[in-house]
mmCIF file of all heavy atoms in Angstrom:
data_model
loop_
_atom_site.group_PDB
_atom_site.id
_atom_site.type_symbol
_atom_site.label_atom_id
_atom_site.label_comp_id
_atom_site.label_asym_id
_atom_site.label_seq_id
_atom_site.Cartn_x
_atom_site.Cartn_y
_atom_site.Cartn_z
ATOM 1 N N GLN A 101 -40.650 2.638 -162.514
ATOM 2 C CA GLN A 101 -40.211 3.167 -161.227
ATOM 3 C C GLN A 101 -39.852 4.646 -161.313
ATOM 4 O O GLN A 101 -40.204 5.438 -160.429
ATOM 5 C CB GLN A 101 -39.000 2.373 -160.741
ATOM 6 C CG GLN A 101 -39.304 0.938 -160.379
ATOM 7 C CD GLN A 101 -38.053 0.144 -160.021
ATOM 8 O OE1 GLN A 101 -36.924 0.597 -160.230
ATOM 9 N NE2 GLN A 101 -38.243 -1.073 -159.502
ATOM 10 N N ILE A 102 -39.223 5.034 -162.407
ATOM 11 C CA ILE A 102 -38.788 6.439 -162.542
ATOM 12 C C ILE A 102 -39.982 7.366 -162.706
ATOM 13 O O ILE A 102 -40.038 8.443 -162.080
ATOM 14 C CB ILE A 102 -37.790 6.558 -163.712
ATOM 15 C CG1 ILE A 102 -36.429 6.000 -163.283
ATOM 16 C CG2 ILE A 102 -37.640 8.007 -164.156
ATOM 17 C CD1 ILE A 102 -35.402 5.970 -164.381
ATOM 18 N N PHE A 103 -40.978 6.989 -163.543
ATOM 19 C CA PHE A 103 -42.087 7.933 -163.665
ATOM 20 C C PHE A 103 -42.930 7.979 -162.388
ATOM 21 O O PHE A 103 -43.572 8.989 -162.082
ATOM 22 C CB PHE A 103 -42.922 7.701 -164.948
ATOM 23 C CG PHE A 103 -43.912 6.563 -164.942
ATOM 24 C CD1 PHE A 103 -45.006 6.566 -164.101
ATOM 25 C CD2 PHE A 103 -43.771 5.518 -165.830
ATOM 26 C CE1 PHE A 103 -45.940 5.540 -164.132
ATOM 27 C CE2 PHE A 103 -44.699 4.487 -165.880
ATOM 28 C CZ PHE A 103 -45.781 4.489 -165.013
ATOM 29 N N THR A 104 -42.925 6.894 -161.619
ATOM 30 C CA THR A 104 -43.614 6.905 -160.333
ATOM 31 C C THR A 104 -42.935 7.831 -159.331
ATOM 32 O O THR A 104 -43.576 8.683 -158.693
ATOM 33 C CB THR A 104 -43.696 5.475 -159.758
ATOM 34 O OG1 THR A 104 -44.410 4.649 -160.663
ATOM 35 C CG2 THR A 104 -44.393 5.476 -158.405
ATOM 36 N N THR A 105 -41.622 7.670 -159.191
ATOM 37 C CA THR A 105 -40.893 8.513 -158.226
ATOM 38 C C THR A 105 -40.841 9.965 -158.687
ATOM 39 O O THR A 105 -40.901 10.882 -157.861
ATOM 40 C CB THR A 105 -39.469 7.971 -158.008
ATOM 41 O OG1 THR A 105 -38.773 7.889 -159.269
ATOM 42 C CG2 THR A 105 -39.490 6.597 -157.385
ATOM 43 N N HIS A 106 -40.776 10.194 -160.001
ATOM 44 C CA HIS A 106 -40.744 11.562 -160.506
ATOM 45 C C HIS A 106 -42.004 12.319 -160.109
ATOM 46 O O HIS A 106 -41.946 13.412 -159.517
ATOM 47 C CB HIS A 106 -40.602 11.563 -162.026
ATOM 48 C CG HIS A 106 -40.872 12.907 -162.665
ATOM 49 N ND1 HIS A 106 -39.996 13.957 -162.568
ATOM 50 C CD2 HIS A 106 -41.951 13.357 -163.355
ATOM 51 C CE1 HIS A 106 -40.515 15.006 -163.196
ATOM 52 N NE2 HIS A 106 -41.693 14.671 -163.691
ATOM 53 N N GLY A 107 -43.169 11.735 -160.391
ATOM 54 C CA GLY A 107 -44.404 12.423 -160.066
ATOM 55 C C GLY A 107 -44.602 12.608 -158.572
ATOM 56 O O GLY A 107 -45.007 13.688 -158.105
ATOM 57 N N THR A 108 -44.293 11.577 -157.799
ATOM 58 C CA THR A 108 -44.485 11.650 -156.351
ATOM 59 C C THR A 108 -43.572 12.688 -155.732
ATOM 60 O O THR A 108 -43.999 13.516 -154.899
ATOM 61 C CB THR A 108 -44.224 10.275 -155.711
ATOM 62 O OG1 THR A 108 -45.018 9.288 -156.370
ATOM 63 C CG2 THR A 108 -44.549 10.296 -154.232
ATOM 64 N N ILE A 109 -42.312 12.667 -156.142
ATOM 65 C CA ILE A 109 -41.351 13.628 -155.570
ATOM 66 C C ILE A 109 -41.719 15.053 -155.945
ATOM 67 O O ILE A 109 -41.718 15.967 -155.102
ATOM 68 C CB ILE A 109 -39.931 13.281 -156.029
ATOM 69 C CG1 ILE A 109 -39.419 12.044 -155.284
ATOM 70 C CG2 ILE A 109 -38.968 14.456 -155.812
ATOM 71 C CD1 ILE A 109 -38.113 11.490 -155.805
ATOM 72 N N MET A 110 -42.035 15.281 -157.213
ATOM 73 C CA MET A 110 -42.281 16.657 -157.651
ATOM 74 C C MET A 110 -43.534 17.266 -157.002
ATOM 75 O O MET A 110 -43.559 18.456 -156.684
ATOM 76 C CB MET A 110 -42.413 16.701 -159.169
ATOM 77 C CG MET A 110 -41.087 16.524 -159.891
ATOM 78 S SD MET A 110 -39.813 17.699 -159.346
ATOM 79 C CE MET A 110 -38.791 17.829 -160.779
ATOM 80 N N ILE A 111 -44.568 16.452 -156.784
ATOM 81 C CA ILE A 111 -45.784 16.995 -156.176
ATOM 82 C C ILE A 111 -45.639 17.091 -154.669
ATOM 83 O O ILE A 111 -45.918 18.146 -154.055
ATOM 84 C CB ILE A 111 -46.998 16.112 -156.531
ATOM 85 C CG1 ILE A 111 -47.311 16.171 -158.020
ATOM 86 C CG2 ILE A 111 -48.235 16.524 -155.719
ATOM 87 C CD1 ILE A 111 -47.863 17.494 -158.476
ATOM 88 N N LEU A 112 -45.219 16.012 -154.006
ATOM 89 C CA LEU A 112 -45.310 15.934 -152.549
ATOM 90 C C LEU A 112 -44.000 16.256 -151.823
ATOM 91 O O LEU A 112 -44.039 16.675 -150.676
ATOM 92 C CB LEU A 112 -45.794 14.539 -152.148
ATOM 93 C CG LEU A 112 -47.263 14.320 -152.469
ATOM 94 C CD1 LEU A 112 -47.568 12.861 -152.722
ATOM 95 C CD2 LEU A 112 -48.152 14.848 -151.363
ATOM 96 N N PHE A 113 -42.868 16.083 -152.483
ATOM 97 C CA PHE A 113 -41.597 16.308 -151.805
ATOM 98 C C PHE A 113 -40.794 17.454 -152.417
ATOM 99 O O PHE A 113 -39.691 17.729 -151.966
ATOM 100 C CB PHE A 113 -40.769 15.017 -151.797
ATOM 101 C CG PHE A 113 -41.415 13.898 -151.052
ATOM 102 C CD1 PHE A 113 -41.642 12.666 -151.657
ATOM 103 C CD2 PHE A 113 -41.821 14.054 -149.741
ATOM 104 C CE1 PHE A 113 -42.252 11.628 -150.972
ATOM 105 C CE2 PHE A 113 -42.447 13.014 -149.031
ATOM 106 C CZ PHE A 113 -42.649 11.794 -149.662
#
Side-chain angles (χ1 to χ4, degrees):
Q101 293 175 349
I102 285 176
F103 79 65
T104 299
T105 56
H106 167 73
T108 307
I109 285 171
M110 288 305 207
I111 293 290
L112 288 152
F113 298 125

